[in-house]
Amino acid sequence: MIPAAFEYVAPTSVEEALAALAEHGDDAKIIAGGQSLLPVLRMRLNAPEWVIDLGRIDALRGVRDAGDHLAIGAMTTHHDVGQDPLVHEHALLISKAITHLADAQVRHRGTFGGALAHADPAGDLGAPALALDATFVVQGPGGTREIAAADFFVDLFETAISDDEILVAVHVPKYDGWGAAYEKFVRIAHQWPIVAVAAAVRLDGDAIAEARIGLTNMGSTPVRARAAEAALAGVPATEEGVAAAAALAAEGTSPPSDLNGDADYRRHLATVLTRRAVLAAAGRG
């Protein structure tokens, strides 16, 4: 289908984009890489009068070493984030997840910030961002503010970004020396996951000193597997040591039921994929 007619503006600065957003308000939609919005427009599920394209704002692109964290510009493509040596060195889990994200075409067009702001609970970046305690930097008329990942994802396709704000960067703490893995279960290649697990693991000898685990598509937002994380601390990085803790992965989740599987099936998948992800992150996969 062809989208409904709309006016188009492509600002070259965040300030210009915010001014356009303030002027047009509820009649406007922000477009980043367009991999989520364009299908919605083509199906006429949304018909904004104005589309504000952030694609010409160069200041929103790139990965920067900011001391104790990486600053990833919201308009940096998935491909560029996944291939960046700083991300591979300091936030390996992000690199691992991006290799599973859609296909090469989407990774070259879609943007890191756009996907996170879209807040699809089946998206591949929310769980890694949550597991790594990322911080989201948004800018509005009153300046910039930071939102912790635990507070950023509010509900299905809903974030803590206000209507008059734009996501400008994502800050990811450094996890040097941590192993990482992203295990994704799909029926068809490049599909959204039925369930996926993002795991980062720090070893102390042959034991797991600390684990961080995020779950994809196990609720209306990405979810931390806190019970499994706590149970993994101090256990041997072996199949037997990890299995009991992984069995707690789905605790406190509210997975959906649909044609791909009911809630109980997804809970089972979460435990299996958590075990696989933790062992792979620990180098035992």
Side-chain angles (χ1 to χ4, degrees):
M1 292 180 63
I2 299 174
F6 57 80
E7 299 293 331
Y8 173 84
V9 60
T12 57
S13 70
V14 175
E15 290 72 21
E16 289 179 15
L18 289 172
L21 191 58
E23 179 180 357
H24 302 297
D26 293 339
D27 296 326
K29 292 290 290 185
I30 296 287
I31 189 169
Q35 301 307 292
S36 299
L37 180 61
L38 285 177
V40 169
L41 297 184
R42 287 175 63 86
M43 291 185 287
R44 299 204 178 192
L45 298 176
N46 199 311
E49 295 183 14
W50 285 82
V51 170
I52 303 170
D53 186 352
L54 304 184
R56 296 183 184 177
I57 306 179
D58 292 336
L60 297 184
R61 291 191 177 88
V63 178
R64 179 172 55 88
D65 190 326
D68 63 348
H69 66 271
L70 299 179
I72 303 175
M75 287 295 293
T76 312
T77 65
H78 302 308
H79 171 267
D80 288 351
V81 174
Q83 296 297 312
D84 193 281
L86 288 174
V87 176
H88 191 269
E89 179 182 358
H90 301 297
L92 181 60
L93 182 55
I94 300 292
S95 294
K96 295 279 190 177
I98 286 176
T99 64
H100 293 274
L101 192 154
D103 54 31
Q105 180 175 338
V106 170
R107 291 194 293 272
H108 277 78
R109 291 294 303 170
T111 65
F112 191 71
L116 288 165
H118 185 55
D120 186 339
D124 288 303
L125 296 181
L130 184 64
L132 297 182
D133 281 332
T135 299
F136 296 80
V137 183
V138 299
Q139 185 171 337
T144 61
R145 66 186 180 103
E146 297 185 352
I147 307 169
D151 301 319
F152 182 77
F153 301 103
V154 176
D155 205 342
L156 187 72
F157 299 108
E158 182 182 352
T159 71
I161 303 174
S162 297
D163 292 340
D164 59 354
E165 293 178 323
I166 293 172
L167 178 65
V168 295
V170 181
H171 292 173
V172 182
K174 293 180 177 179
Y175 291 88
D176 296 359
W178 286 58
Y182 189 70
E183 291 286 334
K184 176 176 176 176
F185 188 83
V186 297
R187 293 176 55 248
I188 303 171
H190 311 308
Q191 193 181 41
W192 285 278
I194 298 173
V195 174
V197 175
V201 171
R202 180 173 62 86
L203 293 177
D204 183 5
D206 292 328
I208 296 173
E210 186 178 357
R212 292 174 166 270
I213 303 169
L215 307 178
T216 300
N217 215 8
M218 287 296 288
S220 61
T221 66
V223 180
R224 280 284 289 274
R226 298 282 189 183
E229 290 177 352
L232 284 166
V235 306
T238 63
E239 182 89 24
E240 297 75 16
V242 169
L248 304 173
E251 188 173 296
T253 63
S254 300
S257 293
D258 56 30
L259 292 176
N260 289 314
D262 63 16
D264 287 339
Y265 178 62
R266 283 185 160 90
R267 292 187 185 98
H268 169 71
L269 283 177
T271 63
V272 173
L273 296 176
T274 296
R275 175 175 52 80
R276 292 178 183 174
V278 169
L279 287 170
R284 309 295 198 267

